Amino acid sequence: MTIVRVAALVMTRLRAVGGWLRQQAALRWRSVVILVPVAAIALGLAGYGVWWRMLADRVQETLSGIQGEQKALGRNLEWSALTVDGFPYMVDATLSKTRLLAPDIGTVWDGDRVVVRLRPLSPGSIKISLEGPQHFLHVANGRWIEGDVEADTAVISGRSKDTVQALSAEFERLTGKGRLDAADVSFILERGAAGIALNAAPGAKDLPRLDMSLQVTNLALQGQLTLPLGPAVDSVIVDIALSLPRTLPVATADAVLAAWRATATPVEIRTFAFDWGGVYLSASGAIMFNAEGLPEGNLKLTIGNHSRMLQVLEEIGWISSETHARAKPILDVMAFVSGDPKRKISVPLRFAGRDVYLGPARVLTLAPPARSGDPTLP
């Protein structure tokens, strides 16, 4: 019996120890469950901080590299101060009182502030914000172009991926005044955007594609500048694309144009439209250029206020009074039967050789463009 009681006492003790061990394990497990995620978050934040610092250092090194490249070209790029902040959401490098002096191309630019902005988790994209007053001067080839501008928003964006390289600019409430040769000009732009994107060839037999776009909304011009449709432009929309050779020649205007012509591909005009001075015009289609540098192809035009458009074309010498007289009755009838409440008409525009046809009527004969000295592109 003594042995039985001893065994029972031992078992009781073992059960007590086992219960205590289970209790301690449960307590420790709760601590582990809580502490492991906290530790993981802490490590992640520490790693993110290191990554942000690396990007910030890389931005500073890149800016210094650009400065050195401009110096090697005989130019001077400088700023009074460089600060990097924006942690944790952005890497913002702010350049104060930036100045670019490029005597080789006759250009000077002074910017109050330039902010280079990167998202740490999207290093393949960059934004450059031009803040405060900006001054630009370009004097070359007998031209004088100077301006002081400022905008509520002026952002240049770049994006780089395996299949596309893109650059775009957006402006809001852009105001400025300046000088174009001997003419003093001032302007206000409510909103504007422009973009260019180089897309890689999707297949071995395809060519790279260059997309270009432009949008302008409510542009008002004043000064010693005469425009055919007046100083107020309601809107301009351009969206075109063209194919490029896989390898580009030396960067001269004629060489690039000749290489593009060798692809035997047209300029695809997805949209070209403007609403300006009471005249509306939109066009879409495809155009190529022949050996004389003249366009060939077909466009579909939509015209609003064709009477005013014909008058302007005659005033600037693009069509004769006889062509005006022949075309107007035809377009009057087309506008009457169009059914459009604003009497807009749709008509084909055809380029054939040196002749231009609006519908069935020949309205213009083009002369081959004169070739210049083919300056090297900067």
Side-chain angles (χ1 to χ4, degrees):
M1 296 296 293
T2 302
I3 295 175
V4 173
R5 283 197 298 270
V6 171
L9 181 60
V10 171
M11 293 300 297
T12 300
R13 296 289 185 180
L14 289 174
R15 282 194 294 269
V17 171
W20 180 83
L21 289 173
R22 286 193 297 272
Q23 183 181 12
Q24 293 301 313
L27 291 174
R28 298 296 186 272
W29 176 250
R30 292 192 187 98
S31 299
V32 170
V33 169
I34 294 172
L35 292 176
V36 167
V38 171
I41 293 172
L43 288 173
L45 290 175
Y48 180 82
V50 172
W51 171 243
W52 187 93
R53 186 69 260 171
M54 289 174 60
L55 281 180
D57 292 342
R58 186 182 300 174
V59 169
Q60 290 179 303
E61 292 171 2
T62 301
L63 291 173
S64 298
I66 294 173
Q67 196 174 35
E69 290 172 359
Q70 295 302 306
K71 185 176 181 180
L73 293 171
R75 304 170 185 174
N76 184 40
L77 175 62
E78 59 185 10
W79 46 80
S80 63
L82 169 59
T83 59
V84 180
D85 52 20
F87 183 83
Y89 304 109
M90 294 286 183
V91 176
D92 287 345
T94 302
L95 306 173
S96 301
K97 304 301 180 184
T98 307
R99 179 179 178 84
L100 172 64
L101 176 62
D104 58 317
I105 56 175
T107 300
V108 179
W109 166 67
D110 293 283
D112 188 34
R113 288 185 311 280
V114 179
V115 181
V116 181
R117 180 163 295 159
L118 283 171
R119 290 183 180 274
L121 300 181
S122 301
S125 61
I126 186 173
K127 290 188 176 182
I128 301 174
S129 178
L130 305 178
E131 301 178 355
Q134 312 286 323
H135 176 79
F136 176 81
L137 172 64
H138 177 73
V139 181
N141 300 321
R143 305 300 306 271
W144 183 292
I145 303 172
E146 184 176 10
D148 291 282
V149 299
E150 189 170 2
D152 290 351
T153 301
V155 177
I156 301 171
S157 302
R159 179 168 52 94
S160 177
K161 292 185 177 180
D162 293 339
T163 58
V164 62
Q165 311 289 323
L167 184 68
S168 63
E170 296 181 11
F171 303 95
E172 290 186 6
R173 195 64 183 176
L174 177 66
T175 61
K177 60 180 180 179
R179 178 181 168 190
L180 180 61
D181 295 331
D184 293 324
V185 181
S186 61
F187 67 89
I188 299 176
L189 173 64
E190 179 182 337
R191 185 175 293 107
I196 183 169
L198 180 60
N199 300 271
K205 296 183 179 180
D206 300 312
L207 294 173
R209 189 184 76 250
L210 185 67
D211 296 324
M212 293 175 284
S213 63
L214 173 69
Q215 291 188 357
V216 172
T217 303
N218 292 337
L219 172 62
L221 297 163
Q222 291 182 338
Q224 303 165 336
L225 189 65
T226 302
L227 299 174
L229 291 172
V233 181
D234 293 329
S235 66
V236 176
I237 301 174
V238 179
D239 183 10
I240 65 175
L242 55 88
S243 296
L244 293 177
R246 289 184 177 273
T247 57
L248 289 175
V250 104
T252 62
D254 277 354
V256 172
L257 182 59
W260 168 69
R261 285 178 184 164
T263 66
T265 57
V267 177
E268 180 186 354
I269 302 175
R270 300 173 181 137
T271 303
F272 175 83
F274 67 78
D275 192 346
W276 180 9
V279 174
Y280 173 83
L281 175 70
S282 71
S284 61
I287 293 293
M288 298 181 67
F289 289 89
N290 59 26
E292 292 184 306
L294 297 174
E296 290 188 352
N298 299 277
L299 297 176
K300 178 183 177 182
L301 297 186
T302 299
I303 304 171
N305 196 355
H306 62 274
S307 297
R308 174 62 178 152
M309 186 194 70
L310 290 173
Q311 179 185 354
V312 170
L313 291 177
E314 182 181 350
E315 289 174 354
I316 62 179
W318 283 21
I319 63 174
S320 65
S321 58
E322 292 79 8
T323 299
H324 184 171
R326 288 198 308 269
K328 188 176 184 304
I330 298 173
L331 297 180
D332 285 344
V333 172
M334 295 179 68
F336 180 76
V337 301
S338 67
D340 187 273
K342 294 185 178 181
R343 298 295 176 90
K344 293 180 180 178
I345 59 175
S346 294
V347 60
L349 180 70
R350 181 166 59 93
F351 298 91
R354 298 187 179 185
D355 296 326
V356 182
Y357 294 86
L358 185 63
R362 182 170 62 85
V363 295
L364 185 63
T365 298
L366 300 174
R371 291 185 178 272
S372 63
D374 185 29
T376 300
L377 299 177

